[in-house]
Amino acid sequence: MKVQEVIMKAMAKRITWWEAAEILGIDVRTMRRWKGRLKRDGYTGLFDRRRHPSPKRIPVEQAERVLGLYQEKYSDFNVRHFHEKLSSEHGIQISYTWVKKALQAAGLVRTARRRGPYRKRRPRRPLPGMMLHIDASRHQWFSDERWHDLIVVLDDATSEIYYAQLVAEESTRTVMAAFRSVVEKKGWFSSVYSDRASHFFRTPKAGQPVDTREVTEVGRAMKELGIRMIPAYSPQARGRSERSFGTWQGRLPQELRLKNIRTPAAANAFLNDHYIREFNSQFKVPAAETGTAFAPIHRRDLDRVFAIQQERVVDNDNTIQFANHVWQIPPTPFRATLAGCRVIVYEHLDGTFSVGYGPHTVGRFTAAGDPIESPRPRRGRTPVPRPVSRRLPPSTPPRYALRASPGLRSGRQPSGNQKAETNKKQRKETSRS
């Protein structure tokens, strides 16, 4: 080991000073003199023994305090997070590089492993809402023996977190809950990038391309909303979300410990009310272009879209069998019987069930299989509208005038005697002429 590493281990009290002298191959008296120069002149007193030490040197007392704080209170923090706490909580203004090298030299932090081959980073999408990432990270978020999945939805253009929740396990229901939350808050988005888990895609053979002809329940929901699903074929392809999870794992457990949060429900409330906003304020980046690709969704059937759907055939007694239950379909006003009809059973995210026949909901049931009565409108006599009498305007002729012949000036029909007298007068006038 280097001399500096041995000295730092002795300062961190991981080894004694006489053990450090034995490792370096020097006498105990020499190590005592080195220790005195270290306290008097700092690190420069051990190597170059300059008469005028650098004004930027870190005092030994401050270095010991930094190492002590990390061991006593922040032993599970990463270097970046610990460096921020030193500045905000303890007022110690030291460069990040010095803190990192000091912790590594003391053996309190492991050095990062060598990176893999060079990979070209994929450029971000120019607008928010063009592509979203969804993934889950399984970790001991409460720093104990319990394991939970953290589902995170972030934007590719800005790295903004739209959804983050701790669940027992990533599944179809938890993923649908994440998508519905984003759709209700932000609106319609163009595409989503995810791994090839079984609740996202059907993969006939491991390592082979996904089957786009057979969709999962999540794929069916995204198809109904017109959202394109993009599968990732390597962890490096999801580098943006993977790097985000590295930040989550290095910060969230420590924040939960400082807040004394021990349950998933309290952790999710802390995420929604405080931490997601704080996380975005620190790690969100501006988009390449102004505007947004999100569009409002005016659909009213999101309960059906984000539900697990299964088809059933109604028996002759208007019952269906589902989830070890026999459900009776009540009478419907639009059809005398549903026997022989194909219906869809919707398993909603809240655990309830509904039976749909086309656009109609013909039954609702609880998770235990009990029917839920829907409120029916009260029956009553429909008031018959009374005819409204209207008077004709004065200029309108009476009805009998409309039936009169066009050649008559009078509004009355002439009688038979009047017709005979009229004919006599016409004959006399003809004979005189």
Side-chain angles (χ1 to χ4, degrees):
M1 291 187 294
K2 296 180 180 180
V3 175
Q4 184 182 3
E5 295 178 2
V6 178
I7 297 298
M8 295 298 295
K9 289 182 181 294
M11 289 179 59
K13 299 181 180 180
R14 302 194 63 177
I15 60 176
T16 60
W17 287 101
W18 68 267
E19 289 177 342
E22 185 177 2
I23 293 174
L24 296 176
I26 60 176
D27 191 73
V28 178
R29 296 178 60 184
T30 305
M31 177 57 68
R32 192 179 299 118
R33 289 195 301 269
W34 284 17
K35 182 179 179 182
R37 291 203 306 267
L38 181 67
K39 291 184 177 181
R40 184 180 66 252
D41 302 329
Y43 297 112
T44 57
L46 296 177
F47 304 107
D48 55 10
R49 300 188 182 186
R50 292 180 295 180
R51 294 181 181 181
H52 304 284
S54 173
K56 297 182 180 180
R57 69 183 181 186
I58 305 298
V60 178
E61 294 79 8
Q62 192 172 11
E64 290 180 346
R65 185 187 177 193
V66 171
L67 297 176
L69 283 174
Y70 187 83
Q71 290 179 298
E72 295 171 3
K73 190 175 181 180
Y74 303 101
S75 59
D76 53 350
F77 278 48
N78 59 37
V79 180
R80 179 69 67 179
H81 201 181
F82 173 61
H83 178 259
E84 294 174 0
K85 292 296 181 181
L86 286 178
S87 176
S88 61
E89 301 292 338
H90 303 281
I92 301 177
Q93 303 294 335
I94 305 178
S95 66
Y96 166 76
T97 304
W98 186 93
V99 175
K100 180 179 179 180
K101 289 184 177 180
L103 295 178
Q104 290 179 350
L108 301 177
V109 174
R110 293 184 300 176
T111 58
R113 63 180 182 179
R114 188 177 180 181
R115 293 188 176 182
Y118 171 80
R119 298 180 183 274
K120 186 178 180 181
R121 175 174 293 189
R122 178 184 55 80
R124 294 177 180 268
R125 292 294 192 268
L127 290 177
M130 293 187 66
M131 186 170 73
L132 271 59
H133 295 259
I134 183 170
D135 202 354
S137 175
R138 191 161 186 81
H139 188 67
Q140 294 175 325
W141 298 102
F142 297 101
S143 302
D144 52 18
E145 68 280 356
R146 294 177 297 171
W147 292 81
H148 294 83
D149 284 348
L150 176 67
I151 299 180
V152 174
V153 179
L154 61 92
D155 198 294
D156 183 78
T158 61
S159 293
E160 182 179 358
I161 304 298
Y162 296 138
Y163 180 90
Q165 290 286 282
L166 281 174
V167 297
E169 186 178 4
E170 182 187 15
S171 62
T172 300
R173 294 175 179 83
T174 56
V175 169
M176 281 190 172
F179 281 135
R180 177 165 185 176
S181 176
V182 175
V183 167
E184 290 179 342
K185 293 178 181 179
K186 305 296 293 186
W188 178 90
F189 51 93
S190 301
S191 61
V192 60
Y193 200 51
S194 67
D195 56 14
R196 292 176 296 160
S198 59
H199 45 267
F200 288 119
F201 299 98
R202 304 289 188 192
T203 306
K205 292 184 179 180
Q208 297 296 324
V210 299
D211 187 2
T212 57
R213 295 171 297 180
E214 184 180 1
V215 297
T216 61
E217 286 296 318
V218 177
R220 187 263 317 154
M222 294 295 99
K223 186 176 181 180
E224 289 186 11
L225 296 178
I227 298 174
R228 179 189 176 194
M229 297 188 66
I230 305 174
Y233 286 90
S234 65
Q236 291 78 11
R238 295 179 288 109
R240 193 155 289 130
S241 60
E242 293 291 339
R243 288 188 296 271
S244 176
F245 276 127
T247 306
W248 281 98
Q249 293 179 4
R251 290 172 175 262
L252 183 58
Q254 293 76 20
E255 294 290 344
L256 295 178
R257 180 178 62 81
L258 292 179
K259 298 293 183 180
N260 197 21
I261 297 176
R262 308 296 302 170
T263 60
N268 291 332
F270 170 69
L271 288 172
N272 291 328
D273 299 338
H274 175 73
Y275 194 69
I276 293 179
R277 182 171 59 255
E278 177 183 340
F279 194 94
N280 288 332
S281 64
Q282 194 162 2
F283 297 102
K284 179 182 175 181
V285 298
E289 299 179 6
T290 58
T292 180
F294 284 105
I297 288 185
H298 303 289
R299 299 187 59 163
R300 299 181 180 180
D301 59 343
L302 292 181
D303 285 337
R304 287 191 172 188
V305 172
F306 294 104
I308 301 177
Q309 303 180 8
Q310 298 189 32
E311 189 180 82
R312 290 292 186 273
V313 178
V314 182
D315 294 337
N316 292 333
D317 54 353
N318 284 281
T319 60
I320 59 173
Q321 298 182 11
F322 186 84
N324 296 327
H325 297 287
V326 178
W327 291 339
Q328 182 69 51
I329 305 299
T332 58
F334 57 87
R335 191 180 176 93
T337 178
L338 291 176
C341 297
R342 295 183 179 273
V343 295
I344 303 296
V345 179
Y346 300 92
E347 184 178 353
H348 301 286
L349 299 179
D350 58 356
T352 61
F353 300 87
S354 65
V355 182
Y357 179 70
H360 307 282
T361 299
V362 297
R364 297 182 182 274
F365 303 89
T366 63
D370 300 327
I372 301 176
E373 295 185 2
S374 58
R376 297 181 178 179
R378 298 180 59 183
R379 294 183 178 180
R381 295 185 60 183
T382 304
V384 180
R386 303 179 65 179
V388 180
S389 59
R390 294 182 300 174
R391 293 185 177 180
L392 296 176
S395 59
T396 305
R399 291 186 178 181
Y400 61 84
L402 298 178
R403 294 193 299 267
S405 59
L408 297 178
R409 296 181 179 179
S410 174
R412 298 181 181 179
Q413 290 287 348
S415 61
N417 298 330
Q418 293 176 350
K419 288 183 179 181
E421 293 177 358
T422 303
N423 295 334
K424 287 181 180 180
K425 291 180 179 180
Q426 291 178 355
R427 287 196 296 270
K428 290 180 179 180
E429 293 176 356
T430 305
S431 61
R432 289 178 182 177
S433 58

